[in-house]
Each structure stands twice: as structure tokens, then as C-alpha cells.
Amino acid sequence: MSDCLQDIFQSADVQGLQSCLRDLLALSSLPTVLQSASPPRIAENLADVVLQTLRPTLVYVYLEPAQGERAIEVLRTNRVRGHAETGEEIGRLLRAIANGATPHDTPPLDGKASDALVAVRLPIECLGHPPLGAVVVASPHSKPVPSPLDRLLLQVAVNHAAVSIVGSRQRQEEERKIREETETLEILNRIGQTLSSELDLQKVVQAVTDAATHVSGAAFGAFFYNLVNDRGESYTLYTISGVPRDAFSGFPMPRNTELFGPTFRGEGVVRIDDVTRDPRYGKNEPYRGMPPGHLPVTSYLAVPVVSRSGQVLGGLFFGHPDRGVFTERVERIVVALAAQAAIAVDNARLYEAEQRARRRAERAVTQLQASQSKLQDKIAELQRFEEVVVGRELKMIELEKEIARLKAQAERKDGDERKAGHG
């Protein structure tokens, strides 16, 4: 910029200086115009301003693509009309110049060498940021642009545009992060409501697997979890999402290998962009990798599900055939889901344990009631037996009394007869 000002003052063109000052004053409003504009709109405004201010033949603005976006190209001209082939040729040349090729003469617009253009490139840069792009200005040999005054104006416009582009992309990134976090909270809230209202363990783990597979962008997901039956025996079940259950039914359960072990031990998240290149992959017999017929897996994500007591309840596993599918954001969401899943599984397991205890109590009550019924039957039988025995005893007593009475009567009669014989 200092060299440009030195050239301007050395030229001592008062009229040019006055025009330059007017143009600089006009450009002072450019930051306000560009303040809330998007990068494509900034490129268009920059090309229009340069074309109106410097009046070259061609203005070409090229912006490097941001992440996930395409490059932005804007072409403004005062002369090219209806020359499609020439326009395409100029476009190719301008792209090359914008990307750092040495500027040289463009093809003539109407086939005449005298009409050839001279192209000049100015980078769009902002301190502390990668290159943003470039502006290419083309003008005839007879009136080359930019002059020292033109270069000053062009530099001012480009600087304003560069700052606006950086600001716009920062705003877009902040808005993207806010949208992602909002979406994440909505997903977690929705799933949390679903899980909190469900106490059926099978439905809980299936809902968790479906939700996590969807939000992670996985081609398929699985939730392997541990259960204890009524006899106190531990066993493992699993749910599948994204593919039919038959796709996994023929394979053995995951073992505590170097790759799966950290998840089943609850040691932390395992996220790998390409699992086939991981040093822990393919070290175990008999397959040394994925078994034949297994779904293709390149991106790999595994998150342990750990209860509030610290017990490892199981693990969520996700796969995708493409590389680098699972990002840090995906990991955060699945970790949050795993925490919700742990609470839901704990609640479901407590509910099932309570149901098992209730069933045991009901069986005990039923058995007790049956025992009581049998006891009552026995008591009634004993009562009947007692009545029979008591009745018999009473009859025996009465019989003994009758025998004693008859015996006493016989003795008296015998005594009376003996007395009568003596008399």
C-alpha cells in the first residue's frame, strides 16, 4: 500500500487524485453494504464495484471453496457479448490466473490482435487466515488497468471484501454450530422423553439403537447388552438397526479382543476413520478381521453403556463402508445417548427385577395358599377324625357305665338270693 501511495504522489495528477478521493469516499460505504452479505453476494458486489469504479473490460472474482461448499466465481464485463467460445476461453484463462498462474495476454475478443487484453491478478487475503481467493482485472493494451490510482482503489475494495468474507464465514460457522447443537438437544430431548416413558427393556434398547444409528449417519448399528435371568445366569442379547437382523444372526458374539475390549470394559469411546488400518484390527483367530459375508466396515464407532453404579451394561457399535463418517459431533451425540440409555436400561432392569420379585412373591403366595388349603383340609379331616374318636370314647364310657351298673345290679341280686337261702 505504501508503494502504491508513493506512485500516486509522484504522478502529481491533481485531477486523478481528486477522482481517487471521490472513489475512496464511495468505497467507504462498502463495509456497510457487505456487512451481512453471504460470500457469493460479496463476490458479486466486489466485481460490480471494481467494474464501475475502474471501468476495466473484465473483472473476475474467484473465492476458494469453504468446507463442504463449491468455489465461487463471478465474471463481469463491459464488452463480451454473445461470444460463447471466446468467453469460455477467457474463463479458463482467468481461473488459471486467479489460482496463481502468471498473468499474460488474454485472447482477442473479436479475433483482432489489437483488441487483446492485459490481465492483472490481486489476491484476496486477510491476516491470520488461509488465502480467500483472487480478483483478476483485464483491460486493453491501450488503456491498462490498474494504474497506481486504480491499484489503490482495487486494494481498498479487496481489503473490505476480504474482511467481510471472513466475517461472513465465521457467522455461517457459528450459525451452523448453533443449528447442530439445537438439533442435538432436540434429538436428545425427544429420545429422552421416549426412553423415560418406556420400561420394557427390549423396546428401550431397540429405541436407543434406532435413534443412535439415525443421528450418527451409520450404515448399521448394534447394541450388545448383558442380562441376568430368573436363575441368576448372565447372558448377552443384541439389537440391530439399519439392516435386517439376518445380516448378523450367522456371526458369533463379539469377543473381548483388542478392538472390542475397551468398550466391553467401559474404558471409553473408540472412534476410527478406517478400522482396517488400525493396529488393533485383524489380530485374532479365526478370521483375523471381519468374518466372510460380514457387512463392509471402514468407519467404526463404539461407545460403552455404563450404569450409574459403574457397571458396564453393554456397548453401542456403529459401522459405515465409507471412511471418516463419524465426527466429533457424532461422538458427542452418541455418548449423550449412551448416558440416557444407561439410565433407561437401569430403570428397565429395575422394573424387570421388581417384576421378577413380584412374580416370585406371587408364586410364593400361591404356594402358601395351596399349603394353607391343604392344611385346612387336614385340619378338617383331623376334626372329623377327632369327632369320631371322641364319639367312640363317649360310647365306650357309657358302655362301661352300663356294664358297671349291670354288674352292680347282678351283684345285688346275687346277694339277695344268698340271703334268702340262709333264711
Side-chain angles (χ1 to χ4, degrees):
M1 180 68 75
S2 60
D3 294 339
C4 180
L5 291 174
Q6 185 176 359
D7 292 340
I8 292 171
F9 288 117
Q10 285 178 350
S11 66
D13 184 351
V14 177
Q15 185 176 0
L17 285 173
Q18 290 175 342
S19 175
C20 179
L21 289 174
R22 285 195 300 270
D23 290 334
L24 284 173
L25 184 61
L27 288 176
S28 64
S29 62
L30 192 57
T32 304
V33 175
L34 302 180
Q35 183 176 8
S36 58
S38 63
R41 186 60 181 162
I42 293 171
E44 292 173 357
N45 285 336
L46 177 60
D48 291 337
V49 166
V50 172
L51 190 67
Q52 294 169 7
T53 304
L54 306 185
R55 300 171 186 83
T57 303
L58 292 174
V59 178
Y60 173 70
V61 179
Y62 173 84
L63 297 185
E64 295 285 351
Q67 185 177 5
E69 298 179 359
R70 294 181 177 180
I72 298 169
E73 296 179 274
V74 176
L75 178 63
R76 295 288 188 266
T77 177
N78 284 323
R79 294 181 60 181
V80 176
R81 293 289 186 274
H83 297 281
E85 293 182 0
T86 303
E88 290 177 3
E89 191 172 356
I90 291 175
R92 286 194 295 271
L93 175 62
L94 294 178
R95 289 188 195 95
I97 296 174
N99 283 287
T102 303
H104 55 81
D105 292 352
T106 66
L109 295 182
D110 55 7
K112 298 178 181 178
S114 60
D115 235 357
L117 300 176
V118 176
V120 178
R121 174 184 180 273
L122 188 65
I124 303 175
E125 299 174 320
C126 189
L127 187 63
H129 296 272
L132 302 173
V135 176
V136 178
V137 178
S139 57
H141 277 291
S142 58
K143 187 181 178 182
V145 175
S147 65
L149 288 173
D150 294 335
R151 184 175 290 274
L152 173 62
L153 296 173
L154 182 59
Q155 187 67 64
V156 170
V158 167
N159 288 345
H160 287 325
V163 172
S164 299
I165 291 167
V166 170
S168 177
R169 287 180 172 171
Q170 288 176 341
R171 287 194 304 274
Q172 289 177 343
E173 179 64 16
E174 291 172 359
E175 291 169 358
R176 182 189 64 80
K177 289 180 179 179
I178 291 173
R179 286 195 302 271
E180 287 182 350
E181 292 304 318
T182 301
E183 180 185 358
T184 300
L185 291 174
E186 290 175 351
I187 291 170
L188 294 176
N189 182 57
R190 183 171 63 251
I191 295 173
Q193 290 177 350
T194 300
L195 296 180
S196 63
S197 62
E198 185 57 68
L199 292 174
D200 184 289
L201 182 59
Q202 180 63 29
K203 292 181 180 179
V204 165
V205 294
Q206 187 63 62
V208 170
T209 310
D210 291 341
T213 302
H214 172 71
V215 300
S216 68
F220 62 88
F223 186 178
F224 291 87
Y225 59 101
N226 302 316
L227 286 179
V228 178
N229 61 19
D230 292 344
R231 296 185 295 274
E233 299 169 340
S234 179
Y235 62 102
T236 301
L237 291 178
Y238 67 95
T239 54
I240 294 293
S241 184
V243 294
R245 190 177 181 86
D246 293 344
F248 277 84
S249 59
F251 301 122
M253 288 289 184
R255 296 174 295 164
N256 199 20
T257 61
E258 286 190 44
L259 191 59
F260 295 137
T263 306
F264 288 125
R265 292 191 296 270
E267 294 175 356
V269 177
V270 178
R271 178 167 60 90
I272 306 172
D273 287 340
D274 189 345
V275 70
T276 62
R277 296 181 178 275
D278 190 273
R280 295 167 291 185
Y281 176 80
K283 288 190 173 182
N284 299 93
E285 297 292 349
Y287 304 112
R288 291 195 170 274
M290 284 171 280
H294 194 283
L295 295 169
V297 179
T298 303
S299 293
Y300 173 81
L301 175 64
V303 179
V305 179
V306 183
S307 71
R308 287 165 288 190
S309 64
Q311 178 188 6
V312 180
L313 303 175
L316 287 162
F317 298 85
F318 306 94
H320 198 284
D322 296 336
R323 187 182 186 280
V325 170
F326 304 124
T327 61
E328 291 184 7
R329 174 179 176 268
V330 167
E331 179 182 325
R332 291 198 305 272
I333 295 175
V334 176
V335 167
L337 278 174
Q340 288 189 334
I343 295 172
V345 170
D346 266 344
N347 292 339
R349 291 176 71 174
L350 287 172
Y351 176 75
E352 288 200 349
E354 186 269 336
Q355 291 297 306
R356 287 196 299 270
R358 177 175 294 183
R359 288 193 294 270
R360 287 196 297 269
E362 289 174 350
R363 286 196 297 270
V365 169
T366 301
Q367 292 172 354
L368 179 60
Q369 289 174 343
S371 298
Q372 287 177 339
S373 178
K374 291 179 180 178
L375 180 60
Q376 288 173 352
D377 291 342
K378 290 291 184 182
I379 292 173
E381 186 178 346
L382 288 173
Q383 287 175 343
R384 289 192 298 271
F385 178 75
E386 182 182 12
E387 290 174 358
V388 171
V389 171
V390 170
R392 287 179 180 178
E393 288 181 352
L394 290 174
K395 288 181 179 180
M396 288 297 294
I397 293 171
E398 290 178 359
L399 182 58
E400 288 175 355
K401 287 180 179 180
E402 180 64 20
I403 291 172
R405 186 183 65 76
L406 291 174
K407 185 177 180 181
Q409 184 179 1
E411 288 176 352
R412 286 195 301 270
K413 184 177 179 181
D414 186 57
D416 292 342
E417 288 179 351
R418 282 199 298 270
K419 286 181 182 181
H422 289 299

